[in-house]
Amino acid sequence: MNVFKNIWNAFTYAVKGIVYGFYSRKNITVFLITTLLVAVLLNWLRTTKIKFALIMAAWLLVIIMEISNTAVEKIVDTLHPNFSEGIGRAKDMMAGAVFIAIISAITVTLLMIWDPLMYKLFHLTTGG
């Protein structure tokens, strides 16, 4: 029974962390809304399950990266509240990782939906 309690506690802490992230960072909320809108678009385009899964994984990675970025910033700001060039660079690198995840998600999405989107909007085929 102790195992179930530990699992429940881990789940509770994880949910609290996610909720805190959504309330403390507007970017996380923006990325969640974007992910939901992409899901609606994919449903409208009637994409395959594998494309849906891959595109959602790319957008969920953006959310994961932003939550990780928020956690690292919170730890660093708590442990070292004063300015430090090294810490500033580390924060910049975390922001860069989030940016790369966003560019990757956009690229994956566009590559996978371009043809069906063009057909649905303009009845054009691109031959790709």
Side-chain angles (χ1 to χ4, degrees):
M1 286 311 240
N2 204 17
V3 171
F4 293 115
K5 184 178 180 183
N6 290 343
I7 292 171
W8 178 254
N9 287 340
F11 174 77
T12 303
Y13 294 136
V15 170
K16 283 171 59 175
I18 292 167
V19 169
Y20 174 78
F22 284 113
Y23 283 111
S24 67
R25 279 292 181 95
K26 289 182 184 175
N27 287 352
I28 296 172
T29 304
V30 168
F31 297 143
L32 176 65
I33 291 169
T34 301
T35 302
L36 293 174
L37 291 174
V38 168
V40 169
L41 174 66
L42 296 175
N43 188 48
W44 179 66
L45 293 173
R46 300 191 190 287
T47 58
T48 63
K49 290 178 184 177
I50 190 72
K51 282 185 179 182
F52 187 93
L54 290 171
I55 292 168
M56 285 295 100
W59 284 101
L60 289 172
L61 180 61
V62 171
I63 295 170
I64 291 166
M65 290 302 301
E66 184 61 34
I67 289 172
S68 298
N69 181 38
T70 301
V72 168
E73 285 188 0
K74 188 58 102 175
I75 291 168
V76 168
D77 290 344
T78 300
L79 296 177
H80 198 288
N82 299 325
F83 176 77
S84 163
E85 185 176 338
I87 290 174
R89 289 183 192 265
K91 286 180 169 184
D92 291 346
M93 291 189 321
M94 281 300 300
V98 174
F99 182 72
I100 290 169
I102 293 166
I103 297 301
S104 298
I106 291 169
T107 302
V108 166
T109 301
L110 289 176
L111 286 173
M112 291 192 165
I113 70 165
W114 187 259
D115 288 345
L117 182 62
M118 291 298 105
Y119 181 78
K120 194 93 161 179
L121 293 176
F122 308 111
H123 297 291
L124 297 175
T125 56
T126 59

